[in-house]
Amino acid sequence: MLLLCFPLCRFRALGETPKWDFRINGGFNIGGTSPLPLPAEIRSISFSPHVLSPHVALEVVRRLNDRWGVSMQIALDYKGFEVDSRVKNLYTEINMNEEAYIGNFTGNNTTRIHNSFVTLPVTATYRIGKRWEVQAGAYAGYLYSASFKGTASDGYIRRGSPTGEKTIVERASFDFSDKQRPFDYGLLVAGEWTFVRRFAVRGQVAWGLNPAFSSDFTGVPFRMYHVYGTLGLSYRLNTR
C-alpha cells in the first residue's frame, strides 16, 4: 500500500510546484547611449549620469519547478546621462546663428540625453538556493519621450569635408531628439539576493542591439547603442 501511495503522492507534489510569483521592482538606471567601441574622433571624454533615472516594473514569474521559471515584466525606464568630450574631425550637424552647418567639427562637445521607455523583458529564471536568483533573456522597448540635445563650442567646423571651408565655432547647438529610433531591443541579465522574506536587492544589465539612430541619419556618423545597468529593490507580493 505504501509503495502504491508513494508515486501518487510524489506526482501530486510535483503537480503543485508550478505557481505564479508577483513582484514590484524599483531602482535607478546608470549607463549611456554610446558607440561601441569609442571611435577615433573622440579624443577625451567625461561622463556624468543623471541623478534621477528611475526604473519601475511589475514582474510576473511562472514557476516551472523549484528552480526554473519564466519571468515577464512591464517597466517604465528613464535613461539619461551627460557627457563632455573633446572631438577631432567629427562629422556632424550643428546650428549656429540660426544657420545649419554640416561638416567635420573639432572642439568641445556636450551631449545631454534623457529618454523614457516602456520596456517588456522576458527572461528565464533560475534559483540558486533560497536567497539567490539569476535571470537571462531579451527585452523590447518603445521610446515614448525622447531628448538628445547638446552644444558644440571652442572649436571650428569644416563644411562638407575635413578640408572644406573653416568656420570658427564659439558656441552652437544640436537637437537629434526626433532622429532616434522609436523601438529598442536587446539582451538582459539580472540577479537578486533576498535579504528578508519579501525584499531582495536586484541588479540588471540591459544591452541594446538596435542602433539608436537610423542608418540614413548623418548627424551621428557611427552606431550608438543603449547600454544601461539598474540597481534597486524587488518586493514580492506573495512569498515563496
Side-chain angles (χ1 to χ4, degrees):
M1 188 69 176
L2 290 175
L3 293 176
L4 292 175
C5 181
F6 176 74
L8 180 61
C9 294
R10 186 173 182 271
F11 175 78
R12 288 177 178 173
L14 290 174
E16 294 172 356
T17 299
K19 64 177 184 178
W20 297 94
D21 284 352
F22 299 92
R23 307 170 183 175
I24 297 175
N25 303 329
F28 294 95
N29 292 309
I30 301 175
T33 303
S34 173
L36 298 171
L38 289 178
E41 292 92 336
I42 300 178
R43 298 307 174 92
S44 63
I45 191 168
S46 175
F47 172 84
S48 175
H50 281 310
V51 176
L52 292 177
S53 292
H55 160 87
V56 180
L58 175 63
E59 182 178 14
V60 180
V61 180
R62 175 62 174 174
R63 291 291 170 200
L64 304 179
N65 53 45
D66 287 341
R67 293 198 178 273
W68 289 98
V70 177
S71 166
M72 295 157 283
Q73 297 183 54
I74 180 168
L76 294 179
D77 279 300
Y78 300 88
K79 298 180 177 181
F81 69 99
E82 179 176 325
V83 61
D84 294 310
S85 60
R86 183 73 182 176
V87 300
K88 184 175 182 180
N89 289 329
L90 175 66
Y91 191 84
T92 188
E93 302 175 9
I94 60 175
N95 292 288
M96 185 171 57
N97 299 324
E98 299 183 355
E99 184 178 355
Y101 289 79
I102 302 176
N104 294 76
F105 172 72
T106 297
N108 294 328
N109 175 80
T110 299
T111 302
R112 302 176 187 87
I113 299 175
H114 198 175
N115 292 327
S116 302
F117 291 87
V118 176
T119 309
L120 300 173
V122 177
T123 61
T125 71
Y126 182 76
R127 287 181 180 174
I128 305 174
K130 294 182 178 180
R131 292 185 178 271
W132 285 96
E133 180 178 287
V134 294
Q135 301 180 355
Y139 75 90
Y142 172 69
L143 177 63
Y144 69 88
S145 178
S147 179
F148 192 112
K149 302 178 181 180
T151 58
S153 61
D154 301 326
Y156 60 89
I157 188 169
R158 292 187 180 274
R159 283 185 162 177
S161 70
T163 59
E165 177 187 354
K166 181 177 180 181
T167 301
I168 299 298
V169 178
E170 294 183 0
R171 186 176 179 85
S173 64
F174 59 86
D175 186 349
F176 303 150
S177 302
D178 61 352
K179 305 299 183 181
Q180 295 186 82
R181 294 181 189 265
F183 295 100
D184 182 36
Y185 59 84
L187 304 177
L188 185 143
V189 294
E192 290 188 1
W193 176 68
T194 302
F195 59 93
V196 294
R197 189 179 184 188
R198 290 184 180 268
F199 286 93
V201 176
R202 179 180 176 86
Q204 71 177 36
V205 175
W207 193 289
L209 299 178
N210 193 30
F213 298 98
S214 61
S215 57
D216 59 354
F217 175 59
T218 60
V220 178
F222 33 73
R223 292 185 174 184
M224 302 183 72
Y225 299 89
H226 304 294
V227 181
Y228 284 83
T230 306
L231 183 62
L233 296 175
S234 177
Y235 175 75
R236 291 179 174 84
L237 299 177
N238 58 326
T239 56
R240 297 176 181 180

